[in-house]
Amino acid sequence: MAVVFDRPKALCDVPMHYCPGCTHGIIHRLVAEVIDEMGIEGDTIGVCPVGCSVMAYDYFGCDMIEAPHGRAPAVATGAKRAKPDSFVFTYQGDGDLAAIGTAETVHVATRGENIVVIFVNNTTYGMTGGQMAPTTLPGQITQTTPFGRDTSVQGFPIRVCEMLSTLDGTALAQRVSVDTVPHIREAKKAIRKGFENQKEKRGFSIIEVLSTCPTNWGMSPVEALDRLRAEMMPYYPLGVYKDTSVKEEK
Amino acid sequence: MERSLMKGNEALAEAALRAGCKCFFGYPITPQTEISAYLAKKMAKAGGLFLQAESEVAAINMVLGASGTGTRVMTSSSSPGISLKSEGISYIAGSDLPCVIINVQRGGPGLGGIQPSQADYWQATKGLGHGDFHVIVYAPASVQEMVDMVINAFDKADEYRMPAMILADGLLGQMMEPVTFPEIKQKNSEKTWAADGHKNKRKHNIINSLYLQPDVLENSVVERYKRYDTIQENETDAENYLCEDADIVLCAFGATARVAKSAVNQAREKGIKAGLFRPKTLWPFPVNEINEAVKNAKTVLTVEMSMGQMIDDVKLAINCSKPVEFFGRTGGIIPTPTEILAEIEKLGGAK
Amino acid sequence: MAKITVNFERCKGCGLCATSCPKKIVALQKEKRNPKGYFTAICTDDSACIGCAMCAMMCPDCAIVVEK
């Protein structure tokens, strides 16, 4: 018998600190698999956010830089502009990317910065214990919306892919999910496309991954995936919002 | 050696280019704008990268990213902008990354004004962000020193793996003087710590300032402070003008020191034994040098373009062994030699 | 012939693998907790495993190796 599935080389062989059933681990693995398949680990620089994935620098085998909260796109810009031949990606959560780092996110996209942003949307601030995120759904109960998010008070969630797809610098804006094996396969394809865009210097790529937070949602990992499908997907529809590589091929 | 007449900000920018600065990230703010404008024009031709960021916050984090790859990088701003950069500066210091930061100071607090000021002394030397850390702070007093100090700042930042700041002001940035660009010996410091892609030849490098274990964090800070001790021993610099026999020693830095020097000369003409001590490094503060300068003085008069900030370090440095008086103007007003002379005379010339 | 090997130390007992197995032969055992205190995943019928790796793809901790 031969090994048909094992840890990708670009994912360090260490235990990850994530809670049981948290889908961060799946998304990490997909990024590492793409890096392996393209053979680019030695030329890749990853940028971690502040949030649950703050310690992702211990998990990816490539060189890593830890950014201040929300500033990963700016840090990635600095790294990419200094080393234009390297592959640069950020890995960010919703609070990091769509609240404190909104300006950096919008401008890295509109500059058409040749980087890949992996955006993990789980509708909450996980690391600090489950507060309202910019992506928290209307009515969703969090530590800071104990009676549910009231849109007349806290406003509405941000749909990041839709927003960034309006910018000329964006080459790829795609929302994927990791709730089922077919969706995982699709997510990996999208991440691969992001890194290919970087290689072809097409511009900015964002892959938004719908993710779960069983701990702060107060659910089992399996129930959390059910909630992702039932509540998140209708508000955050999966799909390709912009893909300039398609036009190029025609 | 070529000699040219240049504006302080432009001379500084040219010196940065010659010192091998490969990336510049900035955001417009008066009165430092000529630095960005100069580099926008010249950087690409020199094989480097100029990028205008969406904010000072983004600019300093671009500096973090570029420096993390081992690239010589600089940013410049003025007082309110430096406040915005302070978060990033703390991370850069905590990640042991070198970079050069320019502050062409203007009046504050808040939006303040756009005229020269030295009211960021405390910020630069003591409060440039959260946590235990320092940056090396140089205080130029001429266009020539803008050049010399920025070149030195790049080398020292690399040597000690920490940010270095040029604390200038609107006066130095805007004035024109003859300047000579020195021959630069490019130091080939290999940055084995850089996150620039491991090429499958080494273990991955991590640029980071997060240490969740208190003892590990403490050790990392203590290690940094050992480096700071070395810097305090080796990197202080100051100018001593007519201090030897002075009854009253003025203490001033930057543009103010030029005015103070005129006041000292005028006092001497009147038979008052005045001298001037000018720190060229503000952190580390030249403690031994100032003690040497004031050893025969009866009084010390600190002159600043602020309500009195460096005066704290002067008192500490000499252990309050002499009376330390203060004269300052703030809000963008430059003190005149006449005003300072009057202050010297008020103090009786320390007779 | 196919088999899965679950890393006893790394498995966090989340059960996502079990939901994805088309043969319904991956489950959490109830006898022995790992050092972190989790009941880990096992294959309940080695002979029925087809080596599709769907359990491993769903595993957030890369705790499953699949051979075929």
Side-chain angles (χ1 to χ4, degrees), chain A residues 1-8 11-26 29 33 178-182 184-185 221-222 225, chain C residues 1-3 7 9-10 12-21 36 38 51-68:
Chain A
M1 282 195 296
V3 173
V4 292
F5 191 98
D6 201 354
R7 163 188 302 277
L11 193 66
C12 300
D13 190 8
V14 292
M16 290 191 274
H17 71 280
Y18 301 113
C19 301
C22 167
T23 42
H24 264 308
I26 301 177
R29 194 191 69 233
E33 283 176 356
V178 288
D179 63 309
T180 62
V181 170
I184 288 172
R185 289 201 171 104
V222 177
L225 288 182
Chain C
M1 260 302 261
K3 77 161 185 174
N7 185 324
E9 314 283 324
R10 295 274 171 88
K12 292 175 184 159
C14 71
L16 295 189
C17 50
T19 63
S20 65
C21 177
K36 286 204 168 74
Y38 299 120
C52 68
M54 286 168 86
C55 56
M57 267 189 266
M58 214 48 216
C59 176
D61 289 281
C62 255
I64 303 175
V65 176
V66 185
E67 291 167 276
K68 200 172 172 180

Side-chain angles (χ1 to χ4, degrees), chain B residues 83-99:
Chain B
S83 298
L84 282 167
K85 286 182 201 286
S86 65
E87 173 202 50
I89 295 171
S90 171
Y91 278 74
I92 290 171
S95 306
D96 294 316
L97 293 176
C99 70

Side-chain angles (χ1 to χ4, degrees), chain A:
Chain A
M1 282 195 296
V3 173
V4 292
F5 191 98
D6 201 354
R7 163 188 302 277
K9 202 179 116 295
L11 193 66
C12 300
D13 190 8
V14 292
M16 290 191 274
H17 71 280
Y18 301 113
C19 301
C22 167
T23 42
H24 264 308
I26 301 177
I27 305 163
H28 279 30
R29 194 191 69 233
L30 297 181
V31 173
E33 283 176 356
V34 167
I35 291 173
D36 272 12
E37 285 168 19
M38 292 177 70
I40 56 171
E41 187 188 319
D43 300 309
T44 299
I45 303 166
V47 181
C48 322
V50 171
C52 284
S53 47
V54 65
M55 283 179 286
Y57 50 74
D58 281 334
Y59 305 147
F60 288 107
C62 55
D63 279 357
M64 297 295 292
I65 304 178
E66 161 53 31
H69 198 22
R71 318 299 174 216
V75 171
T77 298
K80 181 73 180 184
R81 296 289 181 126
K83 300 284 168 193
D85 295 332
S86 54
F87 289 85
V88 177
F89 75 93
T90 74
Y91 188 102
Q92 302 175 256
D94 39 44
D96 190 89
L97 182 140
I100 191 167
T102 312
E104 284 81 359
T105 301
V106 169
H107 284 273
V108 77
T110 201
R111 275 196 306 269
E113 210 68 57
N114 258 305
I115 66 163
V116 177
V117 168
I118 308 294
F119 168 37
V120 180
N121 177 358
N122 65 2
T123 72
T124 193
Y125 283 79
M127 184 58 113
T128 45
Q131 295 79 26
M132 182 188 74
T135 49
T136 290
L137 295 174
Q140 186 180 334
I141 289 170
T142 71
Q143 211 178 57
T144 48
T145 52
F147 311 108
R149 180 176 189 159
D150 178 349
T151 52
S152 72
V153 179
Q154 285 104 4
F156 296 88
I158 296 180
R159 293 185 180 96
V160 171
C161 273
E162 287 86 331
M163 178 173 74
L164 296 185
S165 66
T166 65
L167 301 173
D168 290 348
T170 302
L172 175 70
Q174 184 170 351
R175 185 179 291 122
V176 297
S177 171
V178 288
D179 63 309
T180 62
V181 170
H183 280 157
I184 288 172
R185 289 201 171 104
E186 212 170 307
K188 184 174 162 184
K189 265 189 219 159
I191 295 169
R192 171 87 191 221
K193 189 177 268 177
F195 278 87
E196 295 286 354
N197 280 349
Q198 200 169 159
K199 196 174 175 179
E200 303 302 327
K201 300 190 174 12
R202 287 198 183 101
F204 174 77
S205 300
I206 179 165
I207 295 95
E208 174 176 347
V209 190
L210 298 186
S211 185
T212 62
C213 183
T215 301
N216 289 305
W217 291 358
M219 294 175 183
S220 75
V222 177
E223 287 166 349
L225 288 182
D226 290 338
R227 184 219 168 213
L228 186 159
R229 282 183 285 266
E231 294 175 25
M232 285 176 74
M233 279 186 191
Y235 205 94
Y236 298 113
L238 303 187
V240 179
Y241 288 87
K242 190 174 180 190
D243 182 358
T244 56
S245 70
V246 176
K247 202 166 65 185
E248 223 169 79
E249 276 156 24
K250 283 176 193 168

Side-chain angles (χ1 to χ4, degrees), chain B residues 187-206:
Chain B
K187 285 185 186 160
N188 195 12
S189 55
E190 204 195 340
K191 293 171 176 171
T192 53
W193 47 264
D196 56 349
H198 59 52
K199 314 287 176 211
N200 304 312
K201 283 180 183 148
R202 55 165 168 78
K203 205 175 160 280
H204 69 162
N205 281 337
I206 298 170

